């Protein structure tokens, strides 16, 4: 964390967004009018559940990557023939609450929660790895928070683990719509972005004054990504045990990249990671894409 902040252009790893408060703010983001991703994906999934269920087959081991409150899987579990449900998330406190509700709704389901930071290293417990008919569920365009190289490596890892993939990804669209999705009128995304400073203060012992940092979201068309930054409103010095740095007024900390894809780009990416027999579904505005791909 200290090394990221000390770089010429300061950064903070996006995984620090998701403490308990950050996870709640992200849930609120998903309900915003401007943040079309969640509801568009939900609509695509619900309209194509029969086809997805047919491709998935029976006795599915559904591995929910970044399960959060498990809400997205909840709807799949009602239609797919899932025998094992493996919610994977970095925030274990959040996960255990969600799992209790799920166990009540689906008493026959075998649930194996896994606490894992898969942005660092992907290693499934041996018992999960051994399950037949694994289906990785990676919704929400979360792959878009990886760099293109990391995304490719991550997909290759899933492929090598022998699971099919059900993935949702956001598509390129006009900058104004993308920027509104990441800079909403209520300021929920701004609070989510600033919360990373609160978490940094907690973990690193730094003294960021949250009120002095402005939220910025810009679409960088050259890299096909929305970038989130925090901008110092005035010149300031931030200290932490063993270090610190000066920020000039207007200087930024780059906190997140959210890559946006094209349909052909997605198919190429899945093919080059080794997936085959790819089926994709979109919405009438071509805002978002859901794909099912086979490991081999
Ligand atoms: C989790 N992830 C897919 C979100 C996104 O859209 O890239 C994170 C997010 N950041 C700001 N708003 C939402």
């Amino acid at each position: 964390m200290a090394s990221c902040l000390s770089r010429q252009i300061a950064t903070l790893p996006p995984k620090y967004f998701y403490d308990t408060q950050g996870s709640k703010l992200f849930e609120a983001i998903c309900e915003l009018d401007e943040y079309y991703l969640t509801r568009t994906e939900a609509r695509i999934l619900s309209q194509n559940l029969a086809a997805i269920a047919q491709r998935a087959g029976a006795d599915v081991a559904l591995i929910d990557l970044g399960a959060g409150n498990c809400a997205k899987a909840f709807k799949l579990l009602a239609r797919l023939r899932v025998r094992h449900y493996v919610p994977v998330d970095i925030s274990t406190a959040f996960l255990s609450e969600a799992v209790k509700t799920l166990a009540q709704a689906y008493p026959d389901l075998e649930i194996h929660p896994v606490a894992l930071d898969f942005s660092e290293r992907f290693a499934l417990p041996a018992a999960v790895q051994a399950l037949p008919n694994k289906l990785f569920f990676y919704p929400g365009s979360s792959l878009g928070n990886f760099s293109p190289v990391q995304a490719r490596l991550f997909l290759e890892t899933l492929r090598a683990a022998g699971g099919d993939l059900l993935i949702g990804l956001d598509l390129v669209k006009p900058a104004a719509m993308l920027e509104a999705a990441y800079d909403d009128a209520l300021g929920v995304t701004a609070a989510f972005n600033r919360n990373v400073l609160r978490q940094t203060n907690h973990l690193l012992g730094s003294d960021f004054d949250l009120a002095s940092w402005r939220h910025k979201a810009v679409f960088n068309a050259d890299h096909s990504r929305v970038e989130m930054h925090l901008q110092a409103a005035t010149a300031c010095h931030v200290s932490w045990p063993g270090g610190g740095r000066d920020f000039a007024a207007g200087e930024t900390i780059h906190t997140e990249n959210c890559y946006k894809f094209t349909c052909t780009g997605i198919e190429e990416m899945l093919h080059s990671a080794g997936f085959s027999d790819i089926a994709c579904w979109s919405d009438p505005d071509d805002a978002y894409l859901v794909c099912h791909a086979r490991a081999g």
Side-chain angles (χ1 to χ4, degrees):
M1 245 177 180
S3 64
C4 295
L5 286 172
S6 304
R7 288 186 192 140
Q8 197 186 2
I9 297 175
T11 62
L12 278 171
K15 66 178 177 182
Y16 294 118
F17 281 128
Y18 299 97
D19 64 341
T20 306
Q21 191 158 322
S23 297
K24 286 187 176 148
L25 284 166
F26 182 63
E27 269 195 309
I29 287 176
C30 295
E31 301 285 323
L32 293 168
D33 286 349
E34 296 95 328
Y35 197 75
Y36 57 87
L37 287 80
T38 313
R39 64 174 177 275
T40 310
E41 180 182 73
R43 225 173 276 145
I44 299 171
L45 281 170
S46 72
Q47 283 172 358
N48 296 285
L49 265 180
I52 294 167
Q54 197 189 11
R55 286 177 64 93
D59 292 334
V60 177
L62 185 70
I63 305 175
D64 189 358
L65 300 171
N69 61 8
C70 305
K72 291 178 180 178
F74 219 93
K75 291 178 192 156
L76 285 186
L77 291 167
R79 284 295 291 276
L80 267 57
R81 285 172 287 164
V82 178
R83 174 139 180 227
H84 302 270
Y85 176 56
V86 185
V88 181
D89 210 290
I90 189 172
S91 172
T92 43
F94 211 60
L95 201 58
S96 55
E97 272 308 301
V99 162
K100 273 187 222 152
T101 318
L102 207 91
Q104 280 165 359
Y106 296 100
D108 295 334
L109 193 65
E110 295 186 36
I111 308 178
H112 322 255
V114 175
L116 179 71
D117 177 5
F118 56 85
S119 70
E120 293 285 327
R121 197 175 138 265
F122 189 77
L124 287 173
V128 172
Q129 177 57 41
L131 292 171
N133 202 14
K134 292 190 287 296
L135 174 61
F136 290 110
F137 179 43
Y138 199 29
S141 204
S142 293
L143 190 77
N145 296 131
F146 287 132
S147 72
V149 171
Q150 289 170 325
R152 161 92 187 266
L153 287 175
F154 185 64
L155 290 175
E156 283 173 2
T157 308
L158 297 184
R159 230 280 311 147
D164 293 345
L165 176 65
L166 180 62
I167 190 167
L169 291 165
D170 195 18
L171 298 175
V172 178
K173 57 185 63 62
M177 203 175 159
L178 287 170
E179 288 174 359
Y182 291 86
D183 193 4
D184 59 279
L186 280 175
V188 181
T189 312
F192 173 75
N193 199 6
R194 270 192 215 98
N195 182 56
V196 82
L197 298 181
R198 201 185 63 92
Q199 175 74 331
T200 304
N201 284 346
H202 174 65
L203 295 173
L204 182 64
S206 51
D207 58 358
F208 278 102
D209 171 19
L210 272 60
S212 316
W213 292 83
R214 293 196 194 109
H215 168 67
K216 294 261 162 208
V218 279
F219 180 55
N220 180 334
D222 292 339
H223 290 281
S224 196
R225 67 189 189 202
V226 175
E227 297 179 359
M228 293 217 311
H229 300 265
L230 288 163
Q231 184 175 48
T234 52
C236 59
H237 180 82
V238 177
S239 310
W240 53 83
R245 91 172 260 177
D246 290 321
F247 288 94
E251 202 170 342
T252 57
I253 304 174
H254 189 164
T255 51
E256 191 180 43
N257 288 319
C258 312
Y259 282 84
K260 304 299 160 189
F261 302 86
T262 62
C263 296
T264 45
I266 291 169
E267 292 205 32
E268 276 166 27
M269 178 170 69
L270 293 173
H271 275 301
S272 69
F275 287 99
S276 57
D277 185 15
I278 302 165
C280 297
W281 303 273
S282 187
D283 54 295
D285 298 325
D286 286 331
Y288 198 91
L289 199 71
V290 171
C291 300
H292 179 274
R294 297 198 195 278

